[in-house]
Amino acid sequence: MQPIDYGMFIMPFHYNDKSLAQCLDEDLELIVKAEELGFSEFWVGEHHAIKCEFMMPEIFIGRAIGETSRIRLGPAPICLPQHHPARAANQLAFLDPLSKGRLNLAFGPGSAMCDLELFGLSPKNAPEMTEEAMNIILQLWSTDPPYEVNGKYWQFSLTENIDEVTTFGQLQKPLQQPHPPIAMP
């Protein structure tokens, strides 16, 4: 019988009587303690406009990587409608080797109405935007330029200055072995 793997998720609730710096330090201490206790993974939620739950998980995980050595870390989820897919692909491709392959991923639409409003997004479009962004990210990770993206929500290209980015496709390949299957619709 295999042992049970334990994971933890936090949507960090930061009390108003503490500074954000203190709250983030306490969140980081929790990750370190979870690793010491044998937890296999730790997930961090994302919110931009909720005062008591402000969290930018990719940045926070970048800090937590240096304080841990085994525990897998992941944003839960990356609220894709709130991010340009090329930037999200780059940030995650950078974070993966920085974590030495300990990065977990979860994509989602986000559910905080204030976050959606902050970015001028309609909740009814968020699921469709998430799917489109996820497919774009997978395309960027699995192919080399040129890129010509003409989606419903995102349009961009990289067709003229490819000589400057000959390694772009290589940078997007996940470090984790084996690579997760990449399925395009």
Side-chain angles (χ1 to χ4, degrees):
M1 179 182 288
Q2 282 191 311
I4 295 174
D5 285 334
Y6 292 96
M8 185 178 295
F9 166 78
I10 60 168
M11 180 50 67
F13 187 83
H14 300 137
Y15 293 97
N16 294 329
D17 61 341
K18 296 180 184 180
S19 70
L20 180 59
Q22 179 182 352
C23 291
L24 294 173
D25 283 346
E26 291 171 358
D27 293 339
L28 186 60
E29 288 173 20
L30 182 60
I31 294 174
V32 170
K33 182 53 86 175
E35 182 176 74
E36 289 172 4
L37 292 171
F39 281 68
S40 61
E41 57 189 41
F42 197 100
W43 297 87
V44 181
E46 173 181 7
H47 282 309
H48 299 276
I50 298 176
K51 179 171 53 172
C52 62
E53 292 184 7
F54 177 62
M55 178 59 76
M56 300 185 73
E58 297 93 338
I59 295 170
F60 183 72
I61 288 168
R63 168 84 192 281
I65 287 166
E67 303 289 329
T68 58
S69 61
R70 294 180 323 278
I71 197 165
R72 297 184 61 80
L73 303 164
I78 297 168
C79 302
L80 286 179
Q82 301 165 23
H83 301 276
H84 190 286
R87 182 161 179 91
N90 278 317
Q91 285 178 324
L92 298 170
F94 185 83
L95 199 53
D96 186 42
L98 191 63
S99 75
K100 296 183 176 47
R102 292 187 291 135
L103 180 65
N104 282 347
L105 292 180
F107 298 132
S111 60
M113 296 305 292
C114 55
D115 286 350
L116 294 169
E117 181 182 355
L118 177 66
F119 291 100
L121 302 170
S122 167
K124 68 180 174 110
N125 295 336
E128 188 176 47
M129 291 178 78
T130 300
E131 184 173 353
E132 181 177 311
M134 185 173 56
N135 289 331
I136 292 168
I137 290 168
L138 293 175
Q139 176 188 355
L140 293 174
W141 284 345
S142 63
T143 62
D144 290 324
Y147 301 118
E148 187 71 44
V149 175
N150 292 304
K152 181 175 178 180
Y153 300 101
W154 286 281
Q155 302 81 39
F156 62 94
S157 65
L158 178 56
T159 58
E160 296 179 23
N161 298 293
I162 296 173
D163 294 346
E164 298 173 25
V165 292
T166 53
T167 60
F168 185 80
Q170 279 299 331
L171 291 173
Q172 303 308 320
K173 306 272 188 282
L175 175 68
Q176 299 178 40
Q177 295 291 332
H179 297 313
I182 295 179
M184 299 299 292

PDB file of all heavy atoms in Angstrom, residues 16 45 66:
ATOM      1  N   ASN A  16      -6.556  42.526   8.823  1.00  0.00           N
ATOM      2  CA  ASN A  16      -6.284  43.956   8.700  1.00  0.00           C
ATOM      3  C   ASN A  16      -5.398  44.510   9.804  1.00  0.00           C
ATOM      4  O   ASN A  16      -4.807  45.570   9.647  1.00  0.00           O
ATOM      5  CB  ASN A  16      -7.596  44.754   8.650  1.00  0.00           C
ATOM      6  CG  ASN A  16      -8.380  44.451   7.391  1.00  0.00           C
ATOM      7  OD1 ASN A  16      -7.817  44.147   6.350  1.00  0.00           O
ATOM      8  ND2 ASN A  16      -9.693  44.521   7.489  1.00  0.00           N
ATOM      9  N   GLY A  45      -3.867  30.552  -3.885  1.00  0.00           N
ATOM     10  CA  GLY A  45      -4.885  31.216  -4.694  1.00  0.00           C
ATOM     11  C   GLY A  45      -4.418  32.567  -5.206  1.00  0.00           C
ATOM     12  O   GLY A  45      -3.408  33.111  -4.760  1.00  0.00           O
ATOM     13  N   GLY A  66      12.882  29.329  -2.927  1.00  0.00           N
ATOM     14  CA  GLY A  66      14.167  29.457  -2.255  1.00  0.00           C
ATOM     15  C   GLY A  66      14.155  29.034  -0.802  1.00  0.00           C
ATOM     16  O   GLY A  66      15.212  28.819  -0.205  1.00  0.00           O
TER      17      GLY A  66
END
